[in-house]
Amino acid sequence: MARFQVLNNIDHKDMKIRVDRSADLGDNVWYAVTFPAEFRIVQRHYPIFFIKHSETGEFQAAAMFGVAKGENLFLDEQGWNASYIPLNIMRQPFLIGMPADASGQQESVVSVDLESPRVNEDEGEAVFLEHGGHSPYLEQITSILKALQDGKCEIGHTAADDVVAAVAGNSRCDLFLFMGLHSGLL
């Protein structure tokens, strides 16, 4: 189970992140949520479909890697076999947290899943420099998280629903909708 903590250069000064790709590190996923700004590059490598969020009922765009839970057809013993890995995969084990301060204002912070098999102190990319500054790797992750946050804001809560509604009447989309309905996605 995930255990997220706000990232800081005191508690996490020696943290390293394994960036290789394998099922043991959690890459055996069959899809990853994506957003319009990433569509152009994602569609060159993966099919894009829409999934209905189980809690909110909102539709989200997703890049498909397999057809069953735990199946990633782009992953083998050598790693990930595509020249582009979606941002929602690249960000692992980090995410943006939105804690509220005393006045109720929310501020974006970088959080890390301390239970992720990627997190360790022995091998991988250092998160912080020797004297506490951000490593180039953390700068890259921060950029990825910002792009994901901007993408989430860009699509809004109803834009994906509008896209699904617009394509639902198009017969070329019947297979797409059929797959979603019969796999429990929609």
Side-chain angles (χ1 to χ4, degrees), residues 59-179:
F59 287 98
Q60 299 173 308
M64 185 187 313
F65 314 130
V67 293
K69 187 174 183 175
E71 178 181 54
N72 185 336
L73 300 173
F74 296 90
L75 190 66
D76 64 19
E77 298 80 31
Q78 284 78 43
W80 198 287
N81 288 316
S83 59
Y84 180 78
I85 300 174
L87 296 179
N88 249 322
I89 300 295
M90 294 295 295
R91 71 162 178 85
Q92 298 292 337
F94 300 97
L95 61 70
I96 294 177
M98 299 291 287
D101 63 18
S103 68
Q105 295 287 344
Q106 290 186 320
E107 183 179 339
S108 299
V109 295
V110 176
S111 297
V112 61
D113 178 6
L114 298 177
E115 297 298 321
S116 170
R118 294 184 179 285
V119 176
N120 68 90
E121 293 185 356
D122 301 319
E123 62 180 304
E125 297 288 333
V127 176
F128 293 102
L129 299 174
E130 182 179 347
H131 299 291
H134 292 182
S135 69
Y137 172 71
L138 183 55
E139 292 293 337
Q140 177 188 10
I141 290 298
T142 303
S143 294
I144 288 171
L145 291 172
K146 181 172 179 357
L148 288 168
Q149 185 176 32
D150 291 348
K152 184 176 180 182
C153 292
E154 170 187 290
I155 195 164
H157 293 296
T158 60
D161 292 326
D162 293 342
V163 170
V164 170
V167 300
N170 183 340
S171 62
R172 290 182 283 176
C173 296
D174 288 349
L175 175 62
F176 152 89
L177 292 171
F178 173 81
M179 287 178 60

